[in-house]
Amino acid sequence: MNKKASGKSISIHFIWPVAALVLLLALRGLLGGSQAEVGGEIYQNYCASCHGEEGKGFGELVPPLAGADFLAQNQDKLPCIILYGIEGPIEVNGITYNQPMAGLGFDELGLARLSHSQIQQLINFIQNSWGNKGAEVSRQQVNDWLKECSKPSF
Ligand code: HEC
């Protein structure tokens, strides 16, 4: 009798931490991970092939995002660049680039690939990675910038 009771209390002790962990993981799944993680994943999927894992760009063909003066000066254009692409020539850190970048916002059927919130998370990841220290951009800010948006040319 005694044995049974103590066995039960042990299993109850085990249940709570496990239940809490399960709940935490479920919540994290629901919220889709932290902003930085989601932004980083989108960067890997859509940008890293050209701009590089470390945001260094590729020679004189693809400009860097890490420490890029152009990016720092054109933060408000970033949502547009992501959606619609950009056509140069542009100067980044003293080097002139002139290869068009296709927009990544829409698939071949014209359907949106990235939501406004994904764009926001991507921007915050880029602005705060590889030594970049941009101001945190809010969802409202991204929405406002996108309202003014058409394919930017420089
Ligand atoms: C197919 C290659 C390619 C991909 C993929 C790509 N870019 Fe670019 N990107 C370029 C090129 C090339 C330029 C230079 C455009 C020019 O010369 O006008 C550029 C320019 C830029 C610029 C402006 C210049 C600078 O360095 O600040 C930003 C910002 C940028 N890209 C962000 C992104 C982001 C964010 C993604 C992912 C959503 C992305 N790019 C995906 C090729 C690419």
Side-chain angles (χ1 to χ4, degrees):
M1 180 83 176
N2 254 349
K3 234 182 176 180
K4 224 178 177 184
S6 71
K8 219 176 186 179
S9 80
I10 284 175
S11 63
I12 284 175
H13 277 308
F14 270 114
I15 282 173
W16 286 114
V18 172
L21 195 71
V22 169
L23 200 75
L24 209 77
L25 287 175
L27 263 176
R28 202 168 160 255
L30 272 180
L31 297 174
S34 74
Q35 283 236 349
E37 278 173 34
V38 173
E41 254 172 53
I42 299 171
Y43 181 81
Q44 284 301 324
N45 291 340
Y46 291 99
C47 321
S49 55
C50 290
H51 290 281
E53 303 263 326
E54 299 297 317
K56 292 202 172 98
F58 188 75
E60 301 209 342
L61 292 176
V62 182
L65 299 178
D69 56 357
F70 183 92
L71 185 59
Q73 288 152 18
N74 293 285
Q75 198 192 25
D76 56 331
K77 304 273 176 11
L78 196 47
C80 282
I81 295 176
I82 294 168
L83 274 188
Y84 296 104
I86 172 172
E87 258 183 66
I90 55 169
E91 200 179 306
V92 185
N93 298 346
I95 298 176
T96 302
Y97 295 86
N98 198 4
Q99 300 282 333
M101 165 185 151
L104 291 138
F106 304 94
D107 66 15
E108 42 302 327
L109 297 174
L111 300 171
R113 266 198 197 122
L114 295 170
S115 67
H116 288 195
S117 122
Q118 285 176 314
I119 292 175
Q120 179 207 357
Q121 293 176 73
L122 173 60
I123 291 174
N124 282 327
F125 170 80
I126 293 171
Q127 303 275 35
N128 294 289
S129 297
W130 324 297
N132 287 353
K133 290 197 169 46
E136 189 81 5
V137 169
S138 71
R139 176 77 181 279
Q140 186 58 48
Q141 188 76 79
V142 170
N143 289 354
D144 289 347
W145 285 337
L146 282 172
K147 272 186 213 144
E148 323 235 315
C149 189
S150 60
K151 187 169 179 170
S153 57
F154 290 87

